[in-house]
Amino acid sequence: MVAKPHSADILGIESCIALGDKQIQIPWDSELIEALNVRMAHGEFQIVEIPSMIIEAAWLEVPVQKLRAVTEIIRNRVLDFSLALERGAPDAGEPGADKATSNVVADVGRRTIESLT
């Protein structure tokens, strides 16, 4: 069976993973489909055999195990960021946190982003 997430965010994808489906269909953006139809109408390329036909809907089918791995990576990186923030600036987000806390938060955020590249 192929699942269609109710949203393209992490919760929508996780809900499909939880259903035990083998693949998930991620729909193409309607603006992309429209752009392809315009380019086909102008003769830039042809996808379908009959020239007067248009693309009405398109999607990408992704194996669930690939998405499961991606969601685990995201979850672990968010957790690592949260733990680093808690160690470096336990008062972050609290009323009256000093300027040093803001600097630590900025530094943890910068190091986290740099570690992704």
Side-chain angles (χ1 to χ4, degrees):
M1 185 172 169
V2 177
K4 296 180 183 179
H6 56 85
S7 62
D9 62 14
I10 195 77
L11 293 176
I13 291 169
E14 282 188 326
S15 68
C16 289
I17 291 171
L19 293 173
D21 295 312
K22 300 264 189 261
Q23 293 198 344
I24 294 177
Q25 282 185 355
I26 301 174
W28 286 15
D29 185 74
S30 60
E31 292 176 5
L32 174 61
I33 293 171
E34 177 63 26
L36 287 173
N37 284 328
V38 168
R39 291 182 71 186
M40 284 192 310
H42 288 109
E44 293 180 41
F45 63 92
Q46 185 176 346
I47 295 176
V48 292
E49 295 297 320
I50 303 169
S52 63
M53 293 184 78
I54 63 168
I55 299 170
E56 190 171 301
W59 57 89
L60 173 67
E61 289 188 359
V62 182
V64 168
Q65 57 268 44
K66 298 243 185 216
L67 289 176
R68 185 176 291 124
V70 169
T71 57
E72 285 299 315
I73 289 168
I74 292 168
R75 185 178 289 113
N76 289 336
R77 291 205 175 158
V78 168
L79 179 60
D80 291 344
F81 173 73
S82 301
L83 293 173
L85 197 55
E86 179 65 28
R87 281 191 303 274
D91 294 336
E94 297 295 327
D98 60 4
K99 179 73 173 159
T101 299
S102 296
N103 292 338
V104 171
V105 170
D107 187 52
V108 168
R110 180 188 50 76
R111 282 185 282 136
T112 300
I113 291 170
E114 287 174 355
S115 73
L116 300 176
T117 59

